[in-house]
Amino acid sequence: MSYTPSSTRYDTMPYNRCGKSGILLPAVSLGLWHNFGGVDNFETGRAIIRAAFDKGVTHIDLANNYGPPPGSAEENFGSILKKDFPGYLRDELIISSKAGYNMWPGPYGDWGSRKYLIASLNQSLQRMQLDYVDIFYSHRPDPTTPLEETMMALHDIVKSGKALYAGLSNYRLPEAKQAIQILKALGTPCLIHQPKYSMFERWVEDGLVDELEANGIGCIPFSSLAQGLLTNKYLQGNIPEESRAAKAHGALQTSAITPQVLSQLNALNNLAQKRGQSLAQMALAWILKDKRITTVLIGVSSVAQLNDNLATLNNLAFTNDELTAIEKILKIG
């Protein structure tokens, strides 16, 4: 069935400036880490991407190893692009990819060498049938490759036109500060940083977001629902059959769902209900309450879940009492 994008796709989505750049990103972006690989249903993923674009989600986030198997999310996305986003529709999208985790055997398929980053991007472009990506990230710092080499690779990738902007992901404050300064000196400023950030993972608050703001860099948190933990799926302590915790390749381990965590989740859910939100919606809104956050990444397995996440945007405000209550719940135990 042919696809015609909604004519009202830009009517309701808020767009936030990415640091001090010229780029605006939707308040909610779609990540293809899970549910879009070769083990997943292609038409379900296709329907999600169509529905997201119809609601103004213009940013699609990938990496070389997304799947499983690795690379299959990019292959599937490339097929969807070709089928549903021909011509100038690609120019309405911000498409990102990354390299930094293990992708192929041997010493050149992992970490942060110039060899790996450039070869990986070339492979990603082939899989997605693209001439360029909008953002290309170093997916993690490499403890054995000089940071200058990794950043020079990002700089040269941008200069080559195979990516329009450079980004960092999973860089802690010390490495991020150095990388930001190297890129700035090279003349290819860092556009955006993608850290893991949720109610349960708070390390970015220890200086990273301040550093990004000081340098005019955007922030796009991932795993803001703690791999599905901050949803209503696990409130009763059960493991739903289709949940990430139930999948052998899922990033959420059943061992993470402890009695203490269940107590916290149920207390947070009670507060969310008082706000007229689902737990997932409140968790996403909690991330977006900080105006230094450009956009939040979501990963969904259905159009219904996508729409539930996007409904977060209907209530982003918190009272001081609500914020205090959340902090008290998170300190249980």
Side-chain angles (χ1 to χ4, degrees):
M1 184 181 296
S2 63
Y3 166 63
T4 301
S6 170
S7 61
T8 61
R9 59 188 176 276
Y10 298 118
D11 289 358
T12 58
M13 173 63 69
Y15 293 88
N16 302 320
R17 188 159 302 280
C18 189
K20 293 181 179 177
S21 76
I23 289 295
L24 297 173
L25 293 178
V28 176
S29 298
L30 181 63
L32 307 193
W33 184 9
H34 296 282
N35 305 312
F36 295 85
V39 301
D40 301 297
N41 184 283
F42 177 84
E43 288 302 328
T44 298
R46 185 181 185 185
I48 291 169
I49 289 171
R50 287 178 169 189
F53 188 61
D54 283 343
K55 294 292 181 66
V57 178
T58 53
H59 179 29
I60 309 294
D61 179 80
L62 299 105
N64 59 353
N65 62 337
Y66 286 0
S72 59
E74 289 184 329
E75 289 177 354
N76 285 339
F77 180 64
S79 296
I80 292 166
L81 274 179
K82 190 172 184 179
K83 294 174 187 292
D84 296 335
F85 294 82
Y88 295 119
L89 277 179
R90 189 269 177 262
D91 295 329
E92 295 187 35
L93 292 171
I94 296 289
I95 300 168
S96 65
S97 192
K98 317 176 193 73
Y101 285 91
N102 185 53
M103 186 60 190
W104 62 82
Y108 317 120
D110 200 354
W111 293 104
S113 71
R114 176 183 181 86
K115 164 85 171 168
Y116 173 49
L117 264 62
I118 292 176
S120 180
L121 176 56
N122 287 335
Q123 291 181 19
S124 291
L125 293 175
Q126 288 182 339
R127 284 190 288 268
M128 291 188 284
Q129 305 175 64
L130 291 173
D131 296 323
Y132 71 95
V133 292
D134 296 279
I135 307 169
F136 188 66
Y137 292 85
S138 169
H139 207 165
R140 61 173 172 172
D142 182 343
T144 60
T145 297
L147 197 54
E148 290 81 2
E149 178 178 338
T150 303
M151 295 306 107
M152 179 63 81
L154 290 181
H155 166 73
D156 287 344
I157 283 168
V158 171
K159 293 304 178 186
S160 75
K162 292 183 179 180
L164 302 186
Y165 300 92
L168 305 172
S169 182
N170 292 305
Y171 277 61
R172 298 275 176 156
L173 181 59
E175 297 96 341
K177 290 179 72 170
Q178 294 177 51
I180 289 165
Q181 293 310 311
I182 293 169
L183 284 172
K184 186 180 293 186
L186 289 169
T188 301
C190 179
L191 173 76
I192 194 165
H193 188 297
Q194 188 174 136
K196 190 175 186 179
Y197 184 27
S198 73
M199 287 180 174
F200 288 154
E201 183 108 19
R202 306 281 290 272
W203 64 269
V204 304
E205 297 172 1
D206 295 330
L208 179 66
V209 182
D210 292 334
E211 184 71 17
L212 299 181
E213 181 184 33
N215 286 277
I217 297 169
C219 186
I220 177 172
F222 72 93
S223 289
S224 293
L225 297 182
Q227 290 302 306
L229 199 56
L230 286 163
T231 69
N232 62 4
K233 292 180 182 178
Y234 308 104
L235 293 177
Q236 306 305 317
N238 301 319
I239 309 298
E241 188 174 331
E242 294 302 315
S243 67
R244 290 188 185 180
K247 295 180 180 179
H249 58 273
L252 178 63
Q253 302 299 310
T254 55
S255 58
I257 308 172
T258 64
Q260 177 186 319
V261 168
L262 283 173
S263 176
Q264 290 173 315
L265 292 176
N266 279 281
L268 289 169
N269 185 58
N270 290 337
L271 179 57
Q273 290 181 332
K274 292 176 183 177
R275 286 171 49 82
Q277 290 182 309
S278 67
L279 175 55
Q281 289 166 353
M282 186 178 76
L284 293 173
W286 183 87
I287 293 289
L288 288 169
K289 74 184 186 305
D290 189 334
K291 299 308 177 185
R292 297 171 298 179
I293 302 299
T294 312
T295 177
V296 63
L297 271 174
I298 60 169
V300 299
S301 58
S302 67
V303 172
Q305 191 177 32
L306 169 74
N307 290 334
D308 181 78
N309 282 185
L310 291 177
T312 298
L313 301 173
N314 296 331
N315 183 12
L316 295 177
F318 287 84
T319 67
N320 288 334
D321 286 346
E322 287 172 336
L323 293 174
T324 299
I326 289 171
E327 292 303 315
K328 184 175 180 180
I329 292 167
L330 295 175
K331 290 177 181 176
I332 292 176

